[in-house]
Amino acid sequence: MGWAADYMRIAFVDHGRDHAGCDCWGLIKLAAFEQAGWDWPDFNIGAYDRLDVVGAIIAESNTGPWRSVDLADVLPFDVVVMRSRFLLDGLQVSAPAHVGIVTDERKLLHTQEPYGVAHVPLDHVSVRSRIVGAYRWQP
């Protein structure tokens, strides 16, 4: 399981950014900092600001430090963007609104309410049909 094991017991907490609890962006931000020394932007966005996290990454993929990469070419610490189902203005929608981080084993580390942290292969049934893109931090 490698370094991903350090994060498996972290509780899901909206706006969480440490080992006491994390949302999806908080988890991958924490792992990238502790494992690679990268201090990714916080965006001041929580789990319920779903579209804003992904929007920020995609917006920066053209001019900022995020670069789109092919899923076949992902490396550890690449960010995978996934669709998520949620209510928006009373309607059930599915949109790119969730993120995870690639680990050394070409697995995906992510967390979401109510399940908590998961570490699964990129082709796992729980994520493979939800993946819409991957991004690499290149400051």
Side-chain angles (χ1 to χ4, degrees):
M1 184 175 290
W3 57 261
D6 296 342
Y7 305 93
M8 294 305 297
R9 293 194 174 122
I10 295 177
F12 180 90
V13 174
D14 187 30
H15 287 273
R17 299 294 187 264
D18 58 36
H19 283 270
C22 289
D23 56 22
C24 65
W25 181 250
L27 178 67
I28 67 174
K29 179 178 168 37
L30 179 66
F33 181 73
E34 290 183 349
Q35 302 300 321
W38 293 337
D39 191 14
W40 290 349
D42 185 43
F43 299 125
N44 196 26
I45 298 168
Y48 303 109
D49 307 314
R50 300 173 192 270
L51 299 174
D52 295 337
V53 170
V54 173
I57 291 172
I58 292 172
E60 289 186 358
S61 70
N62 295 324
T63 59
W66 296 103
R67 299 288 182 247
S68 179
V69 294
D70 189 278
L71 194 59
D73 299 324
V74 294
L75 297 172
F77 307 107
D78 285 348
V79 172
V80 173
V81 173
M82 294 170 276
R83 282 189 299 279
S84 183
R85 290 182 183 211
F86 55 95
L87 288 176
L88 181 65
D89 297 329
L91 299 173
Q92 180 80 278
V93 298
S94 175
H98 182 55
V99 291
I101 189 167
V102 177
T103 66
D104 294 331
E105 303 88 5
R106 284 191 49 88
K107 290 184 175 181
L108 184 66
L109 182 70
H110 70 111
T111 187
Q112 64 187 79
E113 190 178 33
Y115 310 108
V117 178
H119 186 227
V120 298
L122 287 168
D123 63 353
H124 190 268
V125 67
S126 67
V127 296
R128 72 174 170 235
S129 66
R130 298 170 55 196
I131 295 173
V132 296
Y135 295 85
R136 182 167 299 146
W137 175 258
Q138 295 179 316

